Amino acid sequence: MTTTASDLQVSHDGNLRLHEEAAQYTPGGLHTAIRIIDPPLCIRRARGAYMWDEDDKRYIDYHAAFAPIILGHCHEAVVDRVIDAIRDTDLYGISTTRMELDFSRKIVDHVPSVEQVLVCCTGSEATFHAVRLARAVTERRKIIKFQGCYHGWHDYVLRNVISELQMVNKWDPGSAGMLHEAVENTLVCRFNNLDDVEEAVKGNPDQIAGVILEPIPHNVGCILPKQEFLEGLRKICDREGIVLIFDEVITGFRHAIGGYQSICGVTPEITTMGKAIANGFPIAAIGGKRELMQRFNTRVGGDVFFSGTFNGHASCLAAALATVEILESEPVHEHIFRLGQRMRDGLGEIVERLGYPCTVAGFGSVYTMYFMEERPIENFDDLLANDGALYIRYRQELMKRGVFEIPMNLKRNHLSYSHTDADVDFSLEAAEEALNATFNARAAGEI
Ligand SMILES: Cc1ncc(COP(=O)(O)O)c(C=O)c1O
């Protein structure tokens, strides 16, 4: 008989009950598709590196809500700042506020290529505005994205993320109902492959408005960019008058306050940011060269529409300012990079000692383990060797042991400022047990 992860739980009743009830009111009981999880897990409360489910079982959280939690859950300084702010201020829908100015100044001060900035609520909004701006300034229609990169849910970019084998680098829209013309105007290239980009540019002369990329494609774990690839993209964009867009929604504040561009030294015209900039509060931003940003119609005379009822809500700005100030004044990046390296080294040592065919990858505070023989990972094609069933089962085994890495294929994990060396030690012990259980299950033909 096949064992499912649901069978493996000691007690999971509270989570199941809540999820079942929610499904009566909401399709699938969830408000975001990629929150589907087997077994269902519903979190009741969280603090620092830990969260507790409906049955009060504790997990060390490395999922970090898909990356925003950089300081730790319900971080006291952030929460206090938000509460203080919203006693006196909320949302007005007119002009600007002191907090909007303070936050914009922080972004401009820190992110090398950003001269002006606008805030919105989600990363998807930021990338939508980035693509529209690129089209407006170039008066061209097409954009280039890379297989495996995710930039949000809108029609301009939702194609070729985690594609099935037969759809890789082919026509692979991410949803029913997408406008054919939008998908058609988004060309897909292989990451780290300049020849692909040159070919797309040559095949569409004077038609490419923008090239959008995650400087490190973390939506499929971690693919490190070759320096010459980033520099090559910069050169192609300069030569062809194409707008280069770095989607730093994950890499942004997580790898450095100045984004990955401050690490690699290659700068785009437009940068999108989100997630970790407010430790879990819903705020995102688009920033770029003044000349381009001046096209937005938040300036009288601008002709690129920009709006959002909730943009700049005081709760989110307070959270963002508190987060940035902590990143500026405390050794957050030093801590999360050190623990990230410890985790990767520890996992590498375990799989080598036990002789399992796994590849540990990551950067800074981000890590993951692919279930495939050690190999260089340059683009999505290289991840096709990953065994998705093992990847998911391993994470389900970790869950049983109180370590939470979301059990979905190709998802990454994140350290926060609240994680400790002891958390990493505990997690490495759990990882060894989970690996043994996973490969035993494979040997027994269960997966
Ligand atoms: C790189 C990247 N860009 C954009 C987005 C979309 O952000 P949001 O989910 O806030 O709309 C995501 C979300 O995962 C992302 O990882």
Side-chain angles (χ1 to χ4, degrees):
M1 195 183 75
T2 305
T3 313
T4 71
S6 316
D7 302 329
L8 299 169
Q9 297 306 306
V10 179
S11 159
H12 216 68
D13 297 352
N15 298 284
L16 289 169
R17 268 199 310 274
L18 182 63
H19 179 242
E20 268 168 30
E21 199 176 343
Q24 292 174 31
Y25 301 94
T26 297
L30 314 173
H31 292 271
T32 286
I34 53 170
R35 291 183 191 166
I36 292 174
I37 165 171
D38 175 27
L41 179 68
C42 304
I43 301 302
R44 185 198 287 265
R45 67 193 168 94
R47 182 126 208 129
Y50 312 117
M51 54 191 197
W52 288 263
D53 72 6
E54 282 291 313
D55 292 323
D56 220 26
K57 178 174 161 76
R58 194 194 84 162
Y59 301 84
I60 304 178
D61 179 28
Y62 295 105
H63 175 46
F66 285 109
I69 310 298
I70 186 168
L71 300 175
H73 287 284
C74 300
H75 189 276
E76 208 172 320
V78 177
V79 171
D80 286 350
R81 185 79 162 262
V82 171
I83 291 170
D84 281 353
I86 62 176
R87 279 189 215 288
D88 290 328
T89 177
D90 48 18
L91 183 70
Y92 308 110
I94 45 163
S95 195
T96 192
T97 64
R98 175 65 54 187
M99 279 203 291
E100 284 175 340
L101 167 63
D102 290 344
F103 179 66
S104 303
R105 191 183 281 131
K106 289 277 186 211
I107 299 269
V108 170
D109 284 350
H110 285 295
V111 186
S113 66
V114 172
E115 295 170 354
Q116 290 207 309
V117 68
L118 284 164
V119 298
C120 49
C121 299
T122 67
S124 298
E125 286 172 73
T127 60
F128 178 90
H129 291 303
V131 170
R132 187 192 264 167
L133 181 62
R135 288 185 167 138
V137 298
T138 58
E139 296 182 8
R140 298 173 183 172
R141 199 186 309 179
K142 297 186 178 172
I143 60 161
I144 292 175
K145 81 173 281 283
F146 295 90
Q147 174 71 57
C149 285
Y150 176 69
H151 304 292
W153 43 254
H154 55 85
D155 285 15
Y156 294 164
V157 288
L158 187 61
R159 65 169 295 185
N160 295 79
V161 185
I162 299 186
S163 300
E164 299 286 329
L165 177 62
Q166 67 280 12
M167 306 309 280
V168 175
N169 304 315
K170 303 213 175 86
W171 181 268
D172 189 21
S175 173
M178 285 174 71
L179 203 60
H180 184 94
E181 290 79 354
V183 182
E184 201 172 44
N185 281 297
T186 301
L187 312 176
V188 177
C189 292
R190 278 171 292 185
F191 196 78
N192 274 327
N193 190 324
L194 284 176
D195 291 344
D196 255 21
V197 179
E198 290 284 15
E199 201 177 307
V201 169
K202 212 178 280 166
N204 298 273
D206 296 326
Q207 292 174 66
I208 311 290
V211 173
I212 185 167
L213 66 148
E214 296 178 69
I216 301 178
H218 278 313
N219 275 288
V220 286
C222 182
I223 300 177
L224 291 176
K226 291 183 186 162
Q227 184 67 16
E228 61 267 29
F229 173 68
L230 297 177
E231 286 170 7
L233 285 182
R234 183 62 278 169
K235 280 200 191 110
I236 293 171
C237 289
D238 286 342
R239 190 188 72 211
E240 304 288 335
I242 295 169
V243 174
L244 183 59
I245 305 166
F246 275 11
D247 179 359
E248 298 234 37
V249 163
I250 295 175
T251 53
F253 283 26
R254 180 161 283 283
H255 294 335
I257 320 182
Y260 190 69
Q261 59 195 263
S262 69
I263 296 172
C264 70
V266 178
T267 51
E269 273 83 29
I270 301 177
T271 303
T272 52
M273 292 152 273
K275 302 220 187 223
I277 66 181
N279 199 47
F281 281 77
I283 184 168
I286 168 172
K289 300 283 169 218
R290 176 182 300 269
E291 192 189 336
L292 271 62
M293 294 296 289
Q294 287 281 309
R295 289 290 296 267
F296 282 117
N297 70 351
T298 48
R299 179 185 72 80
V300 175
D303 62 352
V304 178
F305 191 83
F306 189 91
S307 186
T309 300
F310 297 114
N311 290 359
H313 191 282
S315 57
C316 302
L317 285 166
L321 283 165
T323 303
V324 179
E325 284 169 19
I326 293 167
L327 296 180
E328 285 171 338
S329 61
E330 296 187 32
V332 176
H333 287 103
E334 193 188 314
H335 180 84
I336 61 178
F337 270 54
R338 185 180 66 76
L339 288 191
Q341 193 59 48
R342 251 196 100 198
M343 189 67 103
R344 287 187 292 275
D345 290 347
L347 291 170
E349 186 278 318
I350 292 169
V351 292
E352 199 183 325
R353 177 164 42 81
L354 300 180
Y356 290 135
C358 299
T359 302
V360 179
F363 180 85
S365 61
V366 173
Y367 70 94
T368 195
M369 185 157 62
Y370 299 112
F371 284 76
M372 59 187 194
E373 294 288 354
E374 183 96 46
R375 58 187 292 164
I377 301 168
E378 292 191 358
N379 55 44
F380 190 80
D381 293 338
D382 296 315
L383 299 180
L384 293 173
N386 174 60
D387 188 322
L390 291 179
Y391 197 99
I392 292 168
R393 177 58 178 257
Y394 165 67
R395 287 161 172 243
Q396 290 169 330
E397 293 290 345
L398 280 177
M399 263 176 88
K400 282 197 299 173
R401 293 164 175 81
V403 173
F404 190 67
E405 299 186 0
I406 193 168
M408 288 174 79
N409 195 22
L410 296 181
K411 292 291 166 263
R412 66 200 174 272
N413 310 297
H414 320 82
L415 274 306
S416 79
Y417 196 35
S418 296
H419 286 97
T420 62
D421 285 276
D423 291 326
V424 173
D425 290 341
F426 180 94
S427 305
L428 289 171
E429 268 178 45
E432 183 159 344
E433 285 179 24
L435 275 166
N436 286 331
T438 302
F439 282 101
N440 287 342
R442 168 56 58 86
E446 287 175 23
I447 43 173

